[in-house]
Amino acid sequence: MLLQALASCTVPLPPGGEVPFIDDRRPAMLWCSDGPPAADLVQQLRTAHPVTGLWPVLLYDDPLELFPELAGSPDVYDAAIVLAGFWHRYTRDGPASATSPFGQRWPRIVPAGKPREDPLDCADDLTRTLLHGGRLVDARLGLVPAVRGADVLATMGWAGPVNYDNDTAKFSSVLRSWEDQFGVSVVAANINTLTVSVGAPPGDLDAALHLAAEHFAFCPDNLWQSHPHTIAEYAPHLIDARSWSFWWD
């Protein structure tokens, strides 16, 4: 699948190669450049995705350990059920103060955001910022054969949230819903961190509060291990935000 997609890709690629899985009986599902890519190249590849089937993602810092055998298919998961399940697990086991103002009650799913920018343009803007702004100047280009950007994590066997759940397909199912609701695009990842662009962020506090609850269910360490520590404090930062980052301890 990867080799076929690479062979049909008409966008010139820099030096690089396939990244094998630890279980080498499986075909590689990630190609990675040897060095940092130009932002314009990433933009070209993202634009070409409907033709090539290859989604570009910036990979940085730590070497990735890929475990595709742990990931199922996002097709079998419903994002609302996944988030509700995570929520009930974390509100049962974690400090109740984090989920203020909702307590242990799972709130309604947040309505879709209002489009501010084309999702691909937003992803391109964030890519340029990350590559040229200093934070990811040493990032490498990853290419993953995936029908949609949300699926790349499960397809390449990424194990960022493994301390909470080892089936990355659950997280890809949530990203699919955020793609549809908020124009989210997967832009960058390292061993336990994910960064996405947001083309249609929430524009008011009520929507942001409910989205903050989804963020907590998706990645509780965004509140447990960093500031702010509660949904009520976290939510205002989501209003009109053009990127989100998640980190799992």
Side-chain angles (χ1 to χ4, degrees):
M1 187 175 180
L2 175 62
L3 289 177
Q4 183 178 3
L6 290 170
S8 63
C9 180
T10 59
V11 179
L13 298 179
E18 301 169 53
V19 179
F21 292 130
I22 290 178
D23 178 359
D24 59 9
R25 294 170 297 178
R26 294 171 176 261
M29 297 296 279
L30 170 65
W31 178 94
C32 194
S33 66
D34 293 337
D40 288 347
L41 171 61
V42 182
Q43 178 179 351
Q44 291 176 45
L45 288 163
R46 193 176 286 116
T47 301
H49 169 259
V51 176
T52 66
L54 294 168
W55 185 265
V57 58
L58 301 178
L59 306 173
Y60 63 101
D61 290 344
D62 302 288
L64 294 177
E65 293 184 339
L66 306 176
F67 300 94
E69 67 275 10
L70 300 181
S73 168
D75 293 338
V76 304
Y77 292 111
D78 179 279
I81 295 174
V82 169
L83 287 171
F86 284 159
W87 172 274
H88 291 306
R89 182 196 307 174
Y90 303 147
T91 56
R92 181 188 65 232
D93 298 338
S97 59
T99 55
S100 171
F102 298 114
Q104 291 187 315
R105 176 179 58 86
W106 171 238
R108 61 178 171 83
I109 293 295
V110 65
K114 182 179 179 179
R116 308 287 206 281
E117 186 179 357
D118 180 271
L120 293 187
D121 290 342
C122 190
D124 294 338
D125 290 343
L126 179 58
T127 297
R128 282 190 289 271
T129 298
L130 293 175
L131 287 174
H132 295 202
R135 187 155 73 90
L136 299 188
V137 292
D138 295 325
R140 295 179 295 161
L141 168 66
L143 292 174
V144 182
V147 173
R148 53 194 296 178
D151 293 356
V152 301
L153 303 181
T155 299
M156 72 178 180
W158 184 71
V162 69
N163 288 341
Y164 288 96
D165 197 290
N166 59 17
D167 187 352
T168 313
K170 294 178 182 178
F171 299 87
S172 284
S173 74
V174 175
L175 289 170
R176 282 182 174 187
S177 74
W178 288 346
E179 277 184 345
D180 296 337
Q181 291 176 281
F182 304 107
V184 159
S185 297
V186 171
V187 171
N190 74 354
I191 193 169
N192 59 358
T193 303
L194 172 67
T195 302
V196 302
S197 60
V198 187
D204 61 73
L205 183 58
D206 180 65
L209 279 168
H210 287 81
L211 177 60
E214 294 189 19
H215 277 213
F216 170 77
F218 185 76
C219 179
D221 284 332
N222 267 26
L223 275 69
W224 285 347
Q225 301 286 352
S226 57
H227 295 278
H229 286 308
T230 70
I231 285 173
E233 296 169 336
Y234 181 93
H237 298 278
L238 299 178
I239 298 175
D240 295 328
R242 301 302 177 88
S243 66
W244 304 334
S245 290
F246 303 96
W247 169 76
W248 291 264
D249 191 7

